[in-house]
Amino acid sequence: MKFGETFMEYLHGEQEGFLDKCSHVEYKRLKKVLKSCRVCRESRDSCPSNEHDDDNGNAQLHHEFCQCEACPLCDQMFFSELMKEASEIAGFFTSRVRHILHLHISTGMQGYLLRFRHCFTNDQQAMVQEGRMLIEYVTMNAIAMRKILKKYDKVHSSVNGRKFKSKMQSERIELLQSPWLIELGAFYMNFNERDGGESNKFFSYDLHSTQPVMTMMLPDSVKLEYNLSCAICLELVFNPYALCCGHLFCKSCACSAASVMIFQGLKAASPESKCPVCRAAGVYGDAVHMLELDLFLKKRCKEYWKERLVAERAEMVKQSKEYWDLQTKFMIGY
């Protein structure tokens, strides 16, 4: 079955009620836009020659698609529409995942009230069900975007589709690279394994290899791997934070890279501070604290997690002492 048929079947399947509330890629309509893109007289001068002589000496077209680097028809209708859809999908996905995780890992009085509520209502299953639907939602739409962009490049013999993917990454709306997808995967495995569910339907993991990874299964047996090692200490991430650029670090390592102390947190980082991996600036202020991933690692690497906890607390106490010693000396003019 072609992906277009699979995607339409998904849109009109059992999740149709859920999908009516949210945006999705207009795959069929965007594909029609590409099909309607033909060589136009105004752009023939800027297009590579598509002609060759047949046996009778008549010029024929190799094919009917536009071969120019930029196409006015597609550039006006295609990319603007796709960017709007990608932004809406990413926004909806992020807001729903944050809501689910907030309910799952609430602390204090709110956490107590939620646990008390669970004694009377079984809404945790509803949370897992919504999590499963969100995983399918973001996966199907991400694949639809990738396929339609690949089709664009094929039709126009250009790299604009790949450039658009890079633009989505820079604007943090690349769906399959979202830290919230990793958080949702950790939530899904935490809950399902606790209740004896199928933990490997979407996600699997290997935390004891040279490079610890979480693997997401996509349709057609395609695997997408997320590296769970910190790019600074090269160890399995502890108390992980995902910067706005998507790179994952231990909190202590990220604070060190941003030249702030652990107890101050990443929000104290300067806007000019750059990611140690991609050198993007301004990525610390809205970093995502990966609480669900931290819980996932805590359950499966207990000894390692305890060792890192002791080390981080000791470093935090040391930094706090040094900081307040300096503040005291400054105040008394020493």
Side-chain angles (χ1 to χ4, degrees), residues 5 26 28 61 76 93 102-103 114 117 124 137 169-170 178 225 262 264 277 289:
E5 297 173 356
E26 295 289 346
K28 191 173 182 180
L61 291 176
Q76 290 178 9
F93 175 73
H102 178 69
L103 293 177
L114 286 172
R117 177 185 172 185
Q124 289 191 339
Y137 169 72
Q169 291 177 351
S170 65
S178 170
E225 292 188 343
I262 299 174
Q264 292 176 314
V277 176
H289 192 186

Side-chain angles (χ1 to χ4, degrees), residues 40-243:
C40 57
R41 293 179 180 178
E42 293 79 11
S43 62
R44 279 181 179 175
D45 293 338
S46 62
C47 292
S49 177
N50 292 324
E51 298 182 350
H52 67 87
D53 293 334
D54 61 6
D55 295 336
N56 298 324
N58 296 324
Q60 293 182 341
L61 291 176
H62 278 301
H63 48 73
E64 59 185 353
F65 292 126
C66 175
Q67 293 295 302
C68 52
E69 283 291 323
C71 173
L73 175 64
C74 286
D75 288 350
Q76 290 178 9
M77 300 176 61
F78 186 86
F79 288 119
S80 59
E81 189 68 26
L82 196 57
M83 177 60 76
K84 179 184 176 184
E85 291 169 358
S87 299
E88 291 176 351
I89 292 168
F92 174 80
F93 175 73
T94 298
S95 64
R96 292 310 305 166
V97 173
R98 293 180 71 169
H99 176 71
I100 292 174
L101 300 185
H102 178 69
L103 293 177
H104 186 236
I105 54 179
S106 296
T107 58
M109 180 57 71
Q110 187 177 31
Y112 174 79
L113 292 175
L114 286 172
R115 285 190 291 272
F116 181 74
R117 177 185 172 185
H118 293 160
C119 297
F120 302 95
T121 59
N122 189 19
D123 54 358
Q124 289 191 339
Q125 287 294 339
M127 290 165 55
V128 173
Q129 176 70 9
E130 184 176 359
R132 182 184 67 81
M133 291 191 294
L134 285 169
I135 292 171
E136 292 180 351
Y137 169 72
V138 75
T139 300
M140 294 300 292
N141 280 283
I143 294 174
M145 285 185 192
R146 291 190 174 193
K147 285 189 175 292
I148 203 70
L149 289 171
K150 186 177 180 180
K151 181 72 173 176
Y152 179 95
D153 282 347
K154 182 179 179 181
V155 167
H156 298 89
S157 293
S158 73
V159 294
N160 290 340
R162 276 180 284 174
K163 290 179 180 178
F164 184 79
K165 286 174 63 177
S166 299
K167 183 179 180 181
M168 286 199 300
Q169 291 177 351
S170 65
E171 296 192 12
R172 291 120 193 189
I173 56 174
E174 170 59 41
L175 300 177
L176 294 181
Q177 300 300 324
S178 170
W180 294 109
L181 184 56
I182 301 177
E183 277 285 83
L184 187 58
F187 161 77
Y188 193 81
M189 288 190 287
N190 284 337
F191 192 90
N192 276 11
E193 288 190 359
R194 185 190 70 184
D195 287 7
E198 296 181 2
S199 62
N200 60 350
K201 183 176 181 181
F202 296 107
F203 292 90
S204 60
Y205 60 91
D206 183 1
L207 303 179
H208 302 291
S209 63
T210 306
Q211 181 174 300
V213 294
M214 177 187 291
T215 304
M216 181 179 181
M217 296 296 299
L218 301 178
D220 300 326
S221 300
V222 178
K223 295 182 180 180
L224 187 64
E225 292 188 343
Y226 299 99
N227 187 357
L228 299 183
S229 58
C230 173
I232 296 177
C233 67
L234 304 181
E235 299 285 346
L236 181 67
V237 287
F238 170 76
N239 198 4
Y241 274 77
L243 305 188

